[in-house]
Amino acid sequence: MHRSRPTVGLPLALIVVAGVMSGLGGGSAVADPGTDGTLYVNHDVACSDSGTGAQSLPFCTVQAAADVVEPGDTVRILSPTGDPYSGSVTLTRSGTSDAPITFTGAQPGTAGSRAVFGWPGSAPALTLDAVHDVHVESLAFTDDGGNGVAVTGSTDVTLDRLAINRPALAAPATGSAVSVDGTSSDVTVSRSWLGPSYAYGVRTEPGAARVTVTTNEITTMREGAIVVTGTSDADVTSNTILAACAGGVSLDGGSSGVVENNVAITSGSAQSSTCPAPTAPLYAVSADSTAEVTADYNVAANDAGPSAPARTEYSWGGTAYATSAAFRAGTGQATHDIDGFGFVLGSQPPERSPLVDSADAAAPGELGTDFAGHPRADDPIVGNTGTGTPAPDRGALERADVITIPADAYPSSGVAPFETSVRTDAVSNWAKALTYSVDFGDGSDPATGAQGTPITHTYTAPGRYLTRITVTDSDGTSTSGTNWTTAGTATPPAATLSAAAGTANDGAINAGAAQFTAAEPADAWEVLSRVLAYGDGSQEALGDGVGQALHQYPAPGTYTATLTQTDRLGRTTTATTTFHAADTYVATIPQHDTEKTIAAHGILKISAATLHADSGGVDAAQLQLVTSAAKASGSLTLYTAGTTRPGTSTIGFEPGRTALDQATVKVTPTGSVDLYNGSSGAVTVNVATVGLQSHAQYADTYHPVAPVRLLDTRTGTGGSTGPVAGGHSVTLSVGGTHGVLAGATAVVLNTTATGTKSSGNLVVSTHGTTDSSLTGPYWTTGQTASAQITLPLKDGKVVLHNAGKGSAQLVADLAGWYGTATGGSEFLPVTPARILNTRTGTGTGKIARLAAHATLKLKVTGAHGVPATGVTAADLNLTVPAPSGSGYLVAYPDGTPRPGVYSLNFTKGHTTANRALVKVGTDGEIDLYNAGSGSVDVYADLLGDYDVFPATS
């Protein structure tokens, strides 16, 4: 009844990988295994099922290779990324006894990992149909249903080192991890891991012959781990079985064979609602099979625990036996069986365990290596109670010598070329003689040595090398360890760092978020770590392969970021870059937030929440102020709460007149802005938010232009000619004209009414909507009045409505626009500062009024927080105090022709203020031209500046 052992290949460690399937090819194939007789399958690279299966163009699917494989061929199934091969595979082609067909999923150079089959259907993952002389090895299977591997009508089949696991329990559990039908023979299932959730681990059907199940680990099957039915000459040898839910080994239906060296374990702790307390014995042979079955050297590890009663260990011919001693006394079988202790599945026997060196080396199907590939070894600490030299251990795993390689045995690192030495002082727990093999990982041949003599090697070229030390004892047991060794370059890799503002897919900019790029150095393998300090007190470690980092700064300002790069030899290099965090413009529908009366010399506090500026990194708000019911002449000053009130004015007012101006003010999310009444009398003010500036939102940049006239009803410019009657409107196209982007989100206009026939005011609205409008300039009969307006756009058009009773000529001049196109500018708010006062000489160096038809040059860069370069526009408030005549000012970039536009209109005896968002000349100056008939004093208050995006200083 004893037969020779089946021949199987060398083992690999069990590492099951999983993933997502990549693309598949199609068509018919012609085998071209090449000189080495290998067909390749690899769906992680360029592949074709209509190709030849060459390594340079492998098959995409395993089935394509199965359809063309010839005797002597090896089908190598590759999966570099671990992605599974989906779908069932059926093999119908055979090898010969001298030239078998081999399917292998062993992954080269990946420490024993294997290709994975993952299939969703009820068919087996792999079917061997009417074939012979076929070896299947080193494959993993994970499925939702059906059998794992089905052998039908086949002979001389070896299934070795498989991992078959169903990740989720089917209810009820069905199928077998491995099934052998009744027309198959000479089938070996060896050194495989059969996982839970199947009904059966290995199951044979009536008529099968010469089936060997050896050195497998089988866990938690729902109906039985190894079930042999009506099978002749079956050998069940050296398996380790966790039989928590059902029987371990069962032979029935007139089966014949040998059951030896197995370990069957029961565990109450493994039972659950899907794995109830079992009643089947660990080993069972039916009455119709007892005459032709022998059992010996087995272990019944009955470890039910407190959660379940003890199991029946044996059933022989229908009689139950609680212990191996009872079984032996009742049947004469099991002369060397042992029981009564617990055991851990997947672990080698502990030292001095009864399992060690106590099995039968002559058992049919016994292998020379165990489940993990360790050779059968003699434990010198334990006396041999088994047969053979050495006597094997019981179960799937052999107790092996423990070889300890010191942690500091590996080579050190240095600058190439450098000589290194490997220590040869590993320790054998069994005091065995040790030999060494060292692969230094640089392509040189492995070096060998003996205990006590260091192995030296010189690394001649820079690189990072994986050194592998393999220590082998005299029994053939090996232990390997690896460590990376760096042969460094003469100088450490250079660090580089650059930064750009964050940009969204739609072109919007977050000017306070820096996208840093730390380019990978030429010798990236040499870099150990990179730490990026952002310059605001925070830092981040960049992981392997990470070359970019996005950082949101807490506030506008200039920050110096530093990249510190440390290489594997401990050397550091640094790189720095400067990032100028700034604001971009968030267009809003104008919202009239508050209307209050401010007492003489009183302060109105307006919270950031009231101004809708309390979130999203908002640093400044653009407000429109309208004063009325003034009891005395004076001015209002707008500034950030908690700061010193600046010596500036935002809007002037006087009794009997309505005044209007727009201004920018710095805010904090939890603070407020203050509005100070410098008059001796009370005044009522209406405040509206017309836009926000944020350093933490993806928003728009500003595009200043040299002022250009878009509308003048006196000349027909803009398509409308003649005075606009009271209560009537003019629609003006802005987007898509004069360089304004068609998709611009907001526009800055200087609006003017002249030739006025009655008092009134202008209302400027966003075309295409009913809830977006701002009050324009107010006027009295005959007065020319102007105001700068920032208004959101919807379809590129604005509507100018004469809200007075009498007619007026309307004028609109373009100052700039907001949008996402390239070439825009970002905003930097500043503390309000008076940079021009002709009464004191501030800004000019001399006390002198601006003469009629004269031009004043005003430097706006390089002071008061404004950068010296890169400035494109200045956010100013212009005031003409108590002029002796009427006229207007023109503000424009220095070095450009003076445009025929209005920036501020003034009337004799009336102080007038107006916001002026003015493009700056290339020299950092703006020009102020007095178009009036007499000299005037002029104030200019700075509220912020716009810098070319991205700002660099």
Side-chain angles (χ1 to χ4, degrees):
M1 192 175 299
H2 286 219
R3 292 180 286 113
S4 60
R5 301 176 193 152
T7 301
V8 294
L10 294 177
L12 289 175
L14 175 62
I15 300 176
V16 180
V17 292
V20 180
M21 186 192 77
S22 7
L24 304 177
S28 60
V30 178
D32 182 18
T35 57
D36 63 351
T38 302
L39 299 175
Y40 290 90
V41 181
N42 187 351
H43 62 187
D44 293 335
V45 299
C47 58
S48 173
D49 279 351
S50 59
T52 61
Q55 188 171 10
S56 58
L57 186 63
F59 295 128
C60 299
T61 65
V62 180
Q63 187 64 58
D67 289 343
V68 297
V69 66
E70 296 288 344
D73 288 350
T74 294
V75 175
R76 182 166 293 280
I77 305 163
L78 301 176
S79 182
T81 64
D83 289 346
Y85 287 85
S86 182
S88 299
V89 174
T90 299
L91 176 68
T92 59
R93 301 172 73 87
S94 298
T96 66
S97 59
D98 295 330
I101 288 173
T102 299
F103 281 73
T104 179
Q107 301 298 288
T110 54
S113 63
R114 58 197 66 196
V116 178
F117 284 18
W119 74 108
S122 58
L126 175 63
T127 299
L128 305 181
D129 185 17
V131 301
H132 58 83
D133 297 291
V134 172
H135 294 176
V136 179
E137 62 183 36
S138 300
L139 287 169
F141 301 83
T142 176
D143 76 304
D144 292 334
N147 295 320
V149 178
V151 180
T152 61
S154 298
T155 62
D156 294 298
V157 171
T158 298
L159 306 176
D160 187 41
R161 292 165 292 167
L162 306 183
I164 306 177
N165 178 44
R166 178 179 292 162
L169 171 65
T174 59
S176 302
V178 176
S179 64
V180 179
D181 82 339
T183 61
S184 296
S185 62
D186 297 287
V187 177
T188 297
V189 182
S190 58
R191 291 180 301 191
S192 295
W193 185 80
L194 309 182
S197 298
Y198 288 95
Y200 302 95
V202 178
R203 187 178 190 186
T204 69
E205 297 178 0
R210 297 179 298 284
V211 176
T212 300
V213 183
T214 179
T215 322
N216 302 285
E217 289 203 340
I218 306 174
T219 177
T220 320
M221 298 301 159
R222 265 51 184 183
E223 299 293 336
I226 301 173
V227 177
V228 177
T229 301
T231 300
S232 61
D233 208 3
D235 296 328
V236 180
T237 306
S238 293
N239 301 284
T240 298
I241 301 164
L242 179 62
C245 296
V249 177
S250 171
L251 284 80
D252 61 17
S255 295
S256 63
V258 175
V259 180
E260 285 201 34
N261 299 347
N262 299 284
V263 176
I265 312 160
T266 181
S267 174
S269 61
Q271 294 170 16
S272 65
S273 60
T274 59
C275 176
T279 57
L282 295 177
Y283 299 93
V285 178
S286 64
D288 58 9
S289 301
T290 56
E292 297 295 327
V293 174
T294 60
D296 203 1
Y297 293 93
N298 297 299
V299 177
N302 201 332
D303 185 25
S307 62
R311 294 273 294 278
T312 296
E313 292 185 359
Y314 301 91
S315 173
W316 192 263
T319 302
Y321 299 94
T323 66
S324 60
F327 177 48
R328 187 162 44 250
T331 65
Q333 299 276 347
T335 303
H336 303 91
D337 278 20
I338 55 179
D339 56 8
F341 65 94
F343 187 66
V344 179
L345 184 73
S347 300
Q348 64 177 342
E351 196 68 89
R352 294 183 173 84
S353 167
L355 276 63
V356 176
D357 294 349
S358 65
D360 179 14
E366 181 67 28
L367 304 181
T369 56
D370 74 351
F371 175 86
H374 298 134
R376 296 299 187 182
D378 180 44
D379 184 345
I381 300 175
V382 175
N384 290 350
T385 58
T387 66
T389 304
D393 297 351
R394 306 189 194 203
L397 281 166
E398 180 84 1
R399 175 73 189 178
D401 187 10
V402 177
I403 302 173
T404 304
I405 302 174
D408 57 353
Y410 299 91
S412 59
S413 298
V415 175
F418 81 97
E419 183 179 89
T420 186
S421 179
V422 174
R423 290 170 47 190
T424 55
D425 53 355
V427 177
S428 163
N429 194 48
W430 291 350
K432 299 284 188 177
L434 302 176
T435 57
Y436 294 77
S437 175
V438 182
D439 183 349
F440 288 94
D442 59 355
S444 61
D445 292 335
T448 59
Q451 189 86 352
T453 304
I455 301 173
T456 60
H457 180 73
T458 298
Y459 287 101
T460 59
R464 190 167 183 241
Y465 305 103
L466 183 63
T467 305
R468 179 180 294 275
I469 302 174
T470 302
V471 184
T472 305
D473 71 7
S474 55
D475 287 334
T477 297
S478 295
T479 297
S480 294
T482 59
N483 194 52
W484 289 99
T485 301
T486 300
T489 55
T491 57
T496 60
L497 184 66
S498 61
T503 303
N505 292 334
D506 61 359
I509 305 300
N510 183 343
Q515 180 71 59
F516 288 97
T517 299
E520 188 174 79
D523 297 310
W525 57 267
E526 198 168 358
V527 175
L528 177 63
S529 66
R530 297 196 294 176
V531 177
L532 179 55
Y534 294 113
D536 59 357
S538 64
Q539 65 181 34
E540 179 179 357
L542 301 182
D544 289 344
V546 176
Q548 291 192 321
L550 181 66
H551 181 68
Q552 179 67 60
Y553 280 98
T558 300
Y559 300 89
T560 299
T562 302
L563 175 68
T564 300
Q565 185 171 277
T566 303
D567 73 3
R568 297 183 183 277
L569 302 184
R571 301 173 296 184
T572 60
T573 52
T574 60
T576 61
T577 190
T578 299
F579 183 76
H580 203 140
D583 289 323
T584 47
Y585 182 76
V586 181
T588 63
I589 295 174
Q591 302 179 69
H592 296 274
D593 301 316
T594 187
E595 184 172 81
K596 299 288 185 181
T597 298
I598 309 174
H601 305 294
I603 295 176
L604 172 63
K605 289 188 172 294
I606 310 173
S607 70
T610 299
L611 300 175
H612 315 285
D614 55 343
S615 64
V618 173
D619 298 305
Q622 290 191 19
L623 307 179
Q624 185 183 77
L625 307 180
V626 180
T627 64
S628 60
K631 303 302 182 184
S633 297
S635 63
L636 297 177
T637 299
L638 184 66
Y639 61 101
T640 307
T643 64
T644 302
R645 186 172 72 246
T648 59
S649 63
T650 303
I651 185 172
F653 55 84
E654 56 189 64
R657 286 177 175 260
T658 300
L660 175 145
D661 201 2
Q662 191 169 301
T664 301
V665 61
K666 293 174 69 174
V667 298
T668 60
T670 58
S672 62
V673 297
D674 288 354
L675 194 56
Y676 170 71
N677 178 8
S679 169
S680 60
V683 66
T684 298
V685 61
N686 182 286
V687 181
T689 301
V690 299
L692 301 170
Q693 299 282 4
S694 171
H695 71 270
Q697 296 186 49
Y698 285 91
D700 299 321
T701 54
Y702 181 58
H703 300 257
V705 301
V708 59
R709 183 145 291 171
L710 301 181
L711 173 70
D712 191 336
T713 58
R714 297 169 299 182
T715 63
T717 299
S720 297
T721 305
V724 178
H728 288 71
S729 303
V730 172
T731 299
L732 175 64
S733 293
V734 177
T737 67
H738 298 86
V740 180
L741 184 72
T745 57
V747 64
V748 181
L749 297 175
N750 284 313
T751 58
T752 303
T754 188
T756 55
K757 301 303 182 181
S758 69
S759 61
N761 69 280
L762 191 65
V763 175
V764 185
S765 303
T766 302
H767 185 265
T769 183
T770 59
D771 58 354
S772 177
S773 62
L774 281 172
T775 301
Y778 287 84
W779 61 81
T780 59
T781 302
Q783 180 188 7
T784 297
S786 61
Q788 190 171 90
I789 298 295
T790 301
L791 189 73
L793 295 175
K794 182 177 181 181
D795 58 8
K797 300 177 183 179
V798 298
V799 178
L800 290 82
H801 176 72
N802 178 2
K805 293 183 178 181
S807 65
Q809 300 282 6
L810 302 183
V811 179
D813 301 320
L814 176 68
W817 53 277
Y818 293 95
T820 59
T822 57
S825 299
E826 56 192 12
F827 180 69
L828 292 173
V830 300
T831 300
R834 182 151 289 177
I835 61 173
L836 174 65
N837 187 340
T838 57
R839 289 178 172 178
T840 63
T842 299
T844 61
K846 61 181 180 179
I847 300 174
R849 292 159 67 93
L850 178 56
H853 307 297
T855 300
L856 180 153
K857 294 181 181 296
L858 177 62
K859 185 77 170 180
V860 297
T861 60
H864 306 291
V866 179
T869 60
V871 178
T872 61
D875 193 347
L876 303 174
N877 197 56
L878 300 179
T879 303
V880 175
S884 57
S886 298
Y888 62 93
L889 295 181
V890 180
Y892 60 101
D894 185 52
T896 65
R898 184 176 74 247
V901 300
Y902 300 115
S903 296
L904 182 150
N905 286 84
F906 53 85
T907 303
K908 179 180 178 179
H910 299 286
T911 297
T912 306
N914 194 33
R915 185 202 190 195
L917 193 49
V918 186
K919 186 176 183 180
V920 175
T922 57
D923 56 2
E925 296 182 346
I926 64 170
D927 291 350
L928 295 174
Y929 172 72
N930 179 8
S933 57
S935 61
V936 294
D937 282 310
V938 181
Y939 306 152
D941 296 329
L942 176 68
L943 305 177
D945 63 271
Y946 286 88
D947 298 344
V948 63
F949 173 79
T952 56
S953 62

